[in-house]
Amino acid sequence: MSVYILGIESSCDDTSAAVVDGTTILSNVIASQKVHAEFGGVVPELASRAHQQNIIPVIDTALKRAKINKNQLSAIAFTNGPGLLGSLLVGSSFAKAMAYSLQVPLIQVDHLQGHVLANFLNKPDEDKLKPSFPFLCLTVSGGHTLLLQVNDYFDMQRLGGTIDDAAGEAFDKAAKILGLPYPGGPVIDKYAQEGDPKKFQFAVAHVPYLDYSFSGLKTSFLYFVRDHLKENPNFIEENIHDLAASIQYAIVKSLMDKVKKALKTSPCKDLVLAGGVSANSGLRNAAIDVARRYHRNLFLPTLDLTTDNAAMIAVCGYFKYLKKEFVNVDVVPYSSEKNKNL
Ligand code: KG4
Ligand code: ZN
């Protein structure tokens, strides 16, 4: 029997709605907000206003593309955090009102768990192998960098994480230094494909355990570029491909060094990537290489499921639906993990 879950994602600057039938994606609609481009980053107040404008058409389109009627929904799942509070409030309020009016269960989803469980989604008629528990998951996005041992769908043990900037932030800040548009990760990735990753060396921070640090890398990149610009005002234009390839190499090396360290003792047979930065071609290639050398199976989300989307929220909703993990309308969104349940 079909279990149709509507997922709603509004934690940052993408308004998204998706319908899944179990783990199968029936629709996954994303309205990206262009309004932030001229500011070089997400402006929270503008993001919440754009979510308000987008949410009804996006949900309507998701239902139409899935070819179902709202009365057929089994439950509604929404991102409850972490993220921008004003943005989260738009999606969560809408989800609550819709679940209440349809008299269907309401399910709250953690955005990061969504990124991880995106690896369990499949397209219609796709018979895809899924990761087996426990697996090691490098979760890398604009706001988070986490190395997790995932023991079960909602049992995710933190092995390490960033002590300052996230990996996506490092990409975005490097792009800004080079005068490239936001979000910078995909642009750096594109330039890097034709550059020499060994042309310029940037030191990778030595942080204990399985933790990460990217703020020093950003500063050394900034000073490096600034110093060269003093001697040659065309330094960026003349070296854009090599600069992009070299900074990408440093970020990817930093990420994969700790993955290798973890794999030396990890019982996990599967290595999984998740989050927006897992779209990065350099990181994907490095992960293929590491998985081969450490004899692990590798799972990479398809590119459309790496960055923020509601299908990943809907599939979390499905797994929670099976456990009957529902919430009431008085549940409150949280901006960060540490504010959860406040
Ligand atoms: O997961 P996501 O959509 O949003 C958050 O939860 O933060 O991740 C967005 C981040 C941005 O920092 C963006 O620059 C980065 O993912 N990103 C990439 C690539 N595509 C997106 N970074 C490097 N290479 C890419 N191809
Ligand atoms: Zn995200």
Side-chain angles (χ1 to χ4, degrees):
M1 205 190 95
S2 286
V3 177
Y4 295 123
I5 310 283
L6 171 70
I8 299 176
E9 155 64 34
S10 71
S11 66
C12 191
D13 60 339
D14 292 307
T15 319
S16 181
V19 178
V20 295
D21 177 1
T23 61
T24 303
I25 305 169
L26 300 185
S27 63
N28 192 16
V29 180
I30 303 169
S32 297
Q33 304 177 358
K34 303 277 173 269
V35 62
H36 310 286
E38 64 179 289
F39 300 99
V42 178
V43 184
E45 177 58 26
L46 295 180
S48 5
R49 285 191 219 171
H51 283 307
Q52 285 181 356
Q53 286 165 349
N54 293 341
I55 193 142
I56 292 177
V58 162
I59 291 176
D60 193 43
T61 309
L63 289 168
K64 282 187 181 130
R65 284 196 193 154
K67 296 193 177 59
I68 67 154
N69 168 310
K70 62 182 186 302
N71 296 310
Q72 291 173 271
L73 290 172
S74 308
I76 296 177
F78 67 98
T79 305
N80 202 28
L84 300 170
L85 268 187
S87 293
L88 290 165
L89 275 169
V90 178
S92 62
S93 308
F94 200 95
K96 288 174 187 179
M98 192 166 170
Y100 187 70
S101 70
L102 294 173
Q103 287 296 298
V104 294
L106 180 67
I107 301 170
Q108 67 154 333
V109 172
D110 183 279
H111 182 82
L112 288 172
Q113 294 186 339
H115 276 302
V116 176
L117 299 188
N119 283 285
F120 288 87
L121 284 163
N122 54 273
K123 313 263 154 77
D125 303 322
E126 183 189 29
D127 188 16
K128 210 176 109 184
L129 202 64
K130 313 267 166 93
S132 309
F133 300 117
F135 60 82
L136 188 73
C137 185
L138 176 67
T139 310
V140 270
S141 72
H144 302 272
T145 301
L146 281 170
L147 202 50
L148 301 166
Q149 179 171 313
V150 182
N151 299 315
D152 203 350
Y153 294 112
F154 300 104
D155 176 1
M156 301 186 186
Q157 188 186 339
R158 185 189 191 279
L159 303 179
T162 184
I163 57 168
D164 42 52
D165 292 352
E169 236 176 319
F171 272 107
D172 295 339
K173 287 181 177 173
K176 199 167 185 178
I177 293 166
L178 297 176
L180 300 173
Y182 177 87
V187 194
I188 296 257
D189 193 354
K190 201 171 121 240
Y191 279 115
Q193 313 220 348
E194 284 164 40
D196 175 3
K198 302 274 175 67
K199 177 78 183 280
F200 306 113
Q201 265 90 50
F202 301 106
V204 168
H206 291 286
V207 186
Y209 312 110
L210 295 173
D211 287 331
Y212 293 99
S213 166
F214 290 104
S215 67
L217 180 64
K218 173 201 68 192
T219 312
S220 72
F221 188 65
L222 174 69
Y223 291 159
F224 177 85
V225 173
R226 193 185 280 173
D227 290 348
H228 279 81
L229 279 176
K230 280 186 201 145
E231 289 160 24
N232 173 10
N234 297 325
F235 177 69
I236 293 178
E237 292 87 88
E238 287 170 12
N239 295 280
I240 188 77
H241 294 98
D242 294 337
L243 282 165
S246 301
I247 191 70
Q248 175 169 299
Y249 177 82
I251 297 170
V252 169
K253 180 168 175 3
S254 167
L255 290 171
M256 293 314 292
D257 278 355
K258 292 297 168 85
V259 170
K260 286 193 256 182
K261 187 173 177 183
L263 286 175
K264 280 184 187 144
T265 54
S266 171
C268 301
K269 293 190 173 61
D270 295 346
L271 171 64
V272 177
L273 297 192
V277 179
S278 71
N280 185 266
S281 56
L283 181 63
R284 291 170 90 92
N285 287 335
I288 292 170
D289 185 49
V290 167
R292 195 184 303 122
R293 281 200 279 138
Y294 286 75
H295 309 292
R296 299 314 210 272
N297 308 308
L298 179 66
F299 291 84
L300 298 171
T302 52
L303 286 180
D304 56 331
L305 297 175
T306 54
T307 43
D308 291 349
N309 68 87
M312 69 187 200
I313 303 306
V315 78
C316 285
Y318 169 66
F319 292 127
K320 287 194 169 188
Y321 180 87
L322 296 180
K323 298 192 333 172
K324 294 196 171 26
E325 225 178 90
F326 307 137
V327 289
N328 291 321
V329 287
D330 57 0
V331 65
V332 182
Y334 50 93
S335 58
S336 65
E337 291 298 325
K338 71 177 189 306
N339 293 333
K340 210 167 172 172
N341 301 326
L342 280 185

